[in-house]
Amino acid sequence: MNGVDAVQRWLTGQRCSDDFPYRDVVASVREHGKHFVPPQMLEVLGQAREVANSVAGPDAGGRLLRSFLNVLLDKADGRYDYRTYLALELLPLPDADRGDIVVDAAAALRYRDRLVVALIADVLRFEHAAAEDRRQPLPELRPAPGLTRKRLRLGMRVLQPALARLGLEQACAVDDVRPDRLWRAVEDFLDQDERQAVALSMLPVSRVHDEYLFLRVLQSWEATFALVAVDLCGVIQLLGDGHAVHGGARLDAATGILREASPLFSLLATMQVAAFRDFRRWTEGASAIQSYSYKLVESLCRRPELARLHSVAFQSAPQARMRALSGQATVQSQVGKLERAGFAAVVEDQLVESMASFAAALTGWRRTHYSLAVRMLGNEAGTGYTSGTAYLKEVKDIPVFNRVPSTPSGARRDRR
Ligand code: HEM
């Protein structure tokens, strides 16, 4: 059934949140691209939103429906931004405000792994099915077969460590990638809410094939930065309790996951420049400069300079800015406290090297991101109202901490 008819039928029926025709609506959005959803569709979705507060069904179902409509009607409402573009409120991201996962590093990692495995396995399934000419959405600018094979290989590099940690390594061999089999194994492994999150969070603005990859890679980085933010909160708590050794180990874990995720950039580098330039015409106003998790990571390391806090960089992520301005504890401030309390030698032994490794990993991320942006964007302005790559050149070497050795002696092992 087409999306408009399906929503109309729901509106005139029992209006139970769990019966909302998500599948038809998502299919319809993917058929046109979110920027081009026909007016009749927007109208019935608007009607659904009007009744969404009083629908029958479980509370969680009502919340999901409201979030979904919030994400879907962003452009129509003039609220479109990075959060709604990536459908972040529909994704189960690790949450730095959840005390249980701040304390439990393994649980936090599991959250991130489950989500990244789901997102990347889904994009590999899509790439493979489109290459096989099976009916798939986003038919414009399909990649050549060689490029698809490269994507499948690079996608497996991203997945391998997380699959192994989740006990799913049997689902796929690096040298024999079978995306359908992999997806089935991952789908079986996920719970119903996670499957739903994957299905509802692919709402591209265009019909350009490569936008699928772009969205899934951005979402995977979001999940990774969200985990790093949780880890940094854990480090801050441990240092506050005087546990320098454990704090250093948790910081090493954050370094490990940042480094491990770097093949996500190699995967995204396979995006066709022409494809990116095509669909980005409809993404104005949605930029990762608005990423809460990234700015939270930056500001949990040390309090950013006032000039940065008052610049477009932090004004674009107001919640992270508020936290930083309200004087939240940071790794740097906790280290300072330890030093002032007479633990300078302990800090030197346990933490300085870990801080240097983390700083090198984050700076490495920024430099790779800068190179990728130059390749894709050239000298064009960004979608976050900056000068584009000139802005990135300026910010890529901002110090992560105030004081770390100038020549880091290399990364310690990931001690998670
Ligand atoms: C085609 C690939 C990409 C291009 C061309 C690109 C371009 C840009 C540009 C021009 C900016 C400056 C803000 C603006 O005006 O938009 C920016 C910022 C940013 N991008 Fe990307 N980006 C790409 C991929 C990614 C990916 C995969 C991530 C992962 C989440 C990411 C995360 C960020 C972050 C966190 C910022 C804010 C940096 C800061 O304020 O210090 N970008 N990007």
Side-chain angles (χ1 to χ4, degrees):
M1 189 182 301
N2 81 45
V4 176
D5 291 348
V7 179
Q8 259 165 352
R9 202 157 100 177
W10 179 82
L11 281 166
T12 53
Q14 302 289 319
R15 292 181 185 171
C16 176
S17 57
D18 285 351
D19 297 337
F20 188 78
Y22 287 110
R23 185 192 286 259
D24 297 304
V25 172
V26 168
S28 175
V29 173
R30 290 185 193 171
E31 184 186 338
H32 301 281
K34 208 203 290 190
H35 192 79
F36 303 96
V37 171
Q40 309 94 296
M41 185 72 189
L42 294 174
E43 201 181 314
V44 290
L45 289 174
Q47 288 167 11
R49 180 166 58 180
E50 276 169 29
V51 301
N53 274 327
S54 55
V55 289
D59 287 351
R63 275 196 302 277
L64 177 69
L65 180 58
R66 286 190 291 279
S67 293
F68 179 66
L69 293 170
N70 185 43
V71 162
L72 215 50
L73 291 168
D74 56 352
K75 284 210 165 220
D77 292 348
R79 289 180 292 101
Y80 171 71
D81 65 8
Y82 181 71
R83 274 190 69 78
T84 60
Y85 178 42
L86 264 56
L88 290 181
E89 67 182 287
L90 298 174
L91 296 176
L93 298 167
D95 179 355
D97 288 326
R98 270 188 47 184
D100 56 339
I101 57 171
V102 166
V103 174
D104 187 344
L109 177 63
R110 232 174 2 257
Y111 259 92
R112 178 265 177 197
D113 281 350
R114 293 178 73 98
L115 185 52
V116 170
V117 160
L119 297 170
I120 299 299
D122 175 63
V123 70
L124 299 189
R125 177 205 56 74
F126 168 73
E127 293 288 339
H128 178 65
E132 296 241 301
D133 266 351
R134 276 182 256 154
R135 219 179 104 70
Q136 291 296 308
L138 282 66
E140 293 171 14
L141 299 175
R142 291 269 193 239
L147 194 53
T148 303
R149 282 196 295 277
K150 189 170 179 188
R151 282 182 188 172
L152 298 183
R153 213 176 46 247
L154 290 168
M156 280 314 297
R157 268 181 55 199
V158 173
L159 283 178
Q160 218 68 44
L163 283 175
R165 282 193 294 266
L166 294 173
L168 287 171
E169 61 272 55
Q170 305 303 339
C172 202
V174 198
D175 46 1
D176 180 23
V177 188
R178 296 188 196 177
D180 288 344
R181 210 181 80 179
L182 169 69
W183 173 247
R184 275 197 302 277
V186 169
E187 207 180 18
D188 282 352
F189 175 78
L190 299 176
D191 65 33
Q192 174 55 23
D193 291 347
E194 290 167 322
R195 281 195 287 271
Q196 182 87 315
V198 176
L200 302 189
S201 60
M202 178 47 63
L203 300 166
V205 291
S206 77
R207 287 160 46 86
V208 176
H209 175 101
D210 283 10
E211 195 186 347
Y212 206 110
L213 176 73
F214 184 63
L215 275 166
R216 287 306 192 209
V217 170
L218 281 166
Q219 289 168 337
S220 300
W221 271 120
E222 278 298 318
T224 304
F225 279 121
L227 170 64
V228 173
V230 171
D231 281 342
L232 291 176
C233 288
V235 174
I236 289 165
Q237 211 171 83
L238 287 163
L239 298 185
D241 294 341
H243 301 308
V245 176
H246 290 120
R250 187 86 187 252
L251 190 53
D252 289 344
T255 305
I257 203 74
L258 258 187
R259 290 192 198 282
E260 181 193 297
S262 65
L264 278 169
F265 272 137
S266 317
L267 179 59
L268 188 58
T270 66
M271 186 166 63
Q272 304 167 92
V273 175
F276 175 63
R277 290 186 175 208
D278 191 326
F279 72 73
R280 79 183 290 268
R281 289 179 294 161
W282 322 116
T283 60
E284 190 64 33
S287 162
I289 200 170
Q290 297 154 355
S291 166
Y292 168 69
S293 296
Y294 178 86
K295 290 295 181 344
L296 186 57
V297 166
E298 177 178 338
S299 55
L300 286 171
C301 290
R302 64 166 181 125
R303 191 179 196 268
E305 309 293 339
L306 272 185
R308 174 115 170 123
L309 279 175
H310 294 315
S311 76
V312 62
F314 269 86
Q315 271 161 358
S316 304
Q319 280 175 294
R321 180 169 182 263
M322 284 291 292
R323 284 180 74 138
L325 286 171
S326 71
Q328 70 183 348
T330 64
V331 174
Q332 191 80 60
S333 71
Q334 299 297 65
V335 165
K337 267 192 199 161
L338 281 175
E339 287 178 324
R340 283 193 298 280
F343 291 100
V346 177
V347 167
E348 199 63 39
D349 282 353
Q350 307 295 340
L351 285 173
V352 167
E353 195 186 337
S354 298
M355 288 167 76
S357 294
F358 183 83
L362 191 56
T363 304
W365 185 94
R366 289 174 179 162
R367 290 180 184 166
T368 310
H369 170 254
Y370 171 66
S371 310
L372 181 66
V374 168
R375 173 163 162 193
M376 297 288 167
L377 204 57
N379 291 324
E380 284 183 32
T383 48
Y385 312 112
T386 71
S387 54
T389 47
Y391 165 81
L392 295 177
K393 189 172 183 188
E394 211 175 285
V395 300
K396 73 180 167 39
D397 292 317
I398 291 179
V400 174
F401 295 110
N402 293 336
R403 188 182 65 80
V404 287
S406 52
T407 50
S409 55
R412 283 188 191 171
R413 283 189 320 281
D414 174 2
R415 289 186 276 177
R416 196 185 288 271

